Amino acid sequence: MRIELNGIPTEVAAANLADALMALGYGGTALATALNGGFIPVAARATTPLHDGDRVEVLAPMQGG
Amino acid sequence: MRLYDVDVSSRLLLGTAQYPSPLVLTDAIAASGCGVITVSLRRETANGGASGFWPLLQATGALILPNTAGCHSAREAITTAQMAREVFGTNWIKLEVIGNADTLQPDPFALVDAARILCADGFVVFPYTTEDLIVVERLLDAGCRVLMPWGAPIGSGRGLRHVDALTAMRGHFRSVPLIIDAGIGAPSQAAQAMEMGFDAVLLNTAVAKAGDPVAMARAFGQAVAAGRLAFEAGLMPPRDMAVPSTPVLRMADLGLGGLR
């Protein structure tokens, strides 16, 4: 299926968010995720299914004012 | 200074963006003596492009205040706050909901909506707000116990643009910690805010974009401390006319004319 990952169209085979992150190279721990604008906690990633056209945001700590 | 129920060692809060290098950033944090630093969440690249930044900040020992910078709707800010709470392990959130792309001024309506929902969800909310007294009352009603009025548009370095309105805000809400956030460009402006009785100052660009950010961080730390000391000492009331400071009594009359 094709999802939008951080704004970029991306092909994934994984059925849920946790597996998709692993497959896409997001192994780090300090990550926060959102699906279609809503927060998905770490504990819910494995039980969050992905569908064609989903918008996934993967964010990390960054400089800020 | 107490922010919510946490003792904070310094009245200067420092942003972590735009520094020339990570080393300059951590040196500036140390030189400023600040007790709180602000951070954000941004898109991560695969294989952890930004992963080194977070341990660096954790090592500073400063309290972490994540922001919702760049959010233009309550819903965006709420989701960002939820993400920040998980990643940074704190329920503190500097709530920014921007209403205008040119001035980056807060959208007070969306700000109050987001503050109400976040406070109810257990967040400790630091709202970036205008100095409008009615908005402030609504934010307090929503559950905010600390407020962050803007000094000038973010990154402008213009200092306190609405001194009368800020004075009124300070006067109306004497027991609420008020932190001037944004627009401070020089240590003298930070000192001015502190002399006016504001509890603290939050700034970023003025230090990060200085010729020597570490020295400027130290200058701001001293200015904030000096301004606070001056406020506590009690400033003299201004006068319209000159009043000689040297006694006139027993001044010599040399008989050479001049005013008496």
Side-chain angles (χ1 to χ4, degrees):
Chain A
M1 80 189 102
R2 173 169 285 220
I3 63 169
E4 202 168 291
L5 176 75
N6 284 348
I8 299 167
T10 305
E11 284 292 336
V12 289
N16 66 62
L17 182 57
D19 290 348
L21 290 177
M22 274 310 207
L24 292 165
Y26 288 101
T29 50
L31 292 175
T33 50
L35 175 65
N36 299 325
F39 170 56
I40 304 294
V42 174
R45 287 178 194 161
T47 54
T48 301
L50 291 180
H51 303 97
D52 207 45
D54 275 348
R55 290 177 296 110
V56 174
E57 292 285 331
V58 181
L59 308 185
M62 212 68 70
Q63 297 86 342
Chain B
M1 174 177 63
R2 270 180 97 69
L3 297 177
Y4 287 86
D5 43 12
V6 176
D7 280 318
V8 177
S9 59
S10 165
R11 292 177 181 274
L12 175 61
L13 296 81
L14 197 61
T16 58
Q18 306 180 78
Y19 291 79
S21 74
L23 180 64
V24 171
L25 165 62
T26 50
D27 284 353
I29 291 169
S32 74
C34 72
V36 177
I37 53 177
T38 55
V39 293
S40 73
L41 282 176
R42 287 293 179 263
R43 284 172 165 174
E44 174 67 306
T45 54
N47 306 313
S51 59
F53 178 67
W54 178 218
L56 193 76
L57 291 190
Q58 286 176 298
T60 67
L63 292 164
I64 303 290
L65 178 57
N67 69 28
T68 64
C71 291
H72 280 73
S73 72
R75 187 150 177 254
E76 234 184 339
I78 290 164
T79 296
T80 303
Q82 291 167 332
M83 296 171 89
R85 178 162 63 179
E86 183 179 80
V87 166
F88 294 109
T90 176
N91 56 2
W92 282 23
I93 192 75
K94 175 184 161 182
L95 181 60
E96 284 185 46
V97 188
I98 299 302
N100 181 285
D102 290 330
T103 60
L104 297 181
Q105 72 189 83
D107 174 339
F109 307 99
L111 181 70
V112 170
D113 286 346
R116 186 179 300 113
I117 291 164
L118 289 172
C119 287
D121 190 20
F123 281 91
V124 170
V125 178
F126 295 70
Y128 169 59
T129 180
T130 58
E131 63 285 269
D132 186 287
L133 299 183
I134 312 306
V135 172
V136 168
E137 282 176 2
R138 295 289 187 277
L139 288 169
L140 295 174
D141 289 346
C144 299
R145 294 290 170 264
V146 173
L147 302 169
M148 306 218 294
W150 64 343
I154 295 169
S156 69
R158 301 290 299 281
L160 308 181
R161 303 308 295 167
H162 306 128
V163 171
D164 290 347
L166 287 170
T167 302
M169 184 187 190
R170 179 70 284 179
H172 273 78
F173 303 99
R174 289 184 184 281
S175 60
V176 180
L178 300 178
I179 302 170
I180 294 289
D181 176 18
I184 298 290
S188 56
Q189 297 162 356
Q192 180 194 7
M194 298 307 295
E195 288 168 2
M196 290 167 66
F198 285 93
D199 293 275
V201 170
L202 196 170
L203 55 96
N204 188 153
T205 311
V207 167
K209 292 297 184 186
D212 180 345
V214 178
M216 188 60 81
R218 187 172 295 116
F220 268 105
Q222 292 177 5
V224 167
R228 178 64 189 185
L229 193 58
F231 170 71
E232 290 171 352
L235 294 160
M236 65 162 279
R239 297 152 164 165
D240 290 334
M241 304 295 287
V243 179
S245 46
T246 304
V248 183
L249 193 69
R250 298 177 64 194
M251 184 174 173
D253 183 357
L254 301 177
L256 298 175
L259 290 174
R260 275 286 180 274

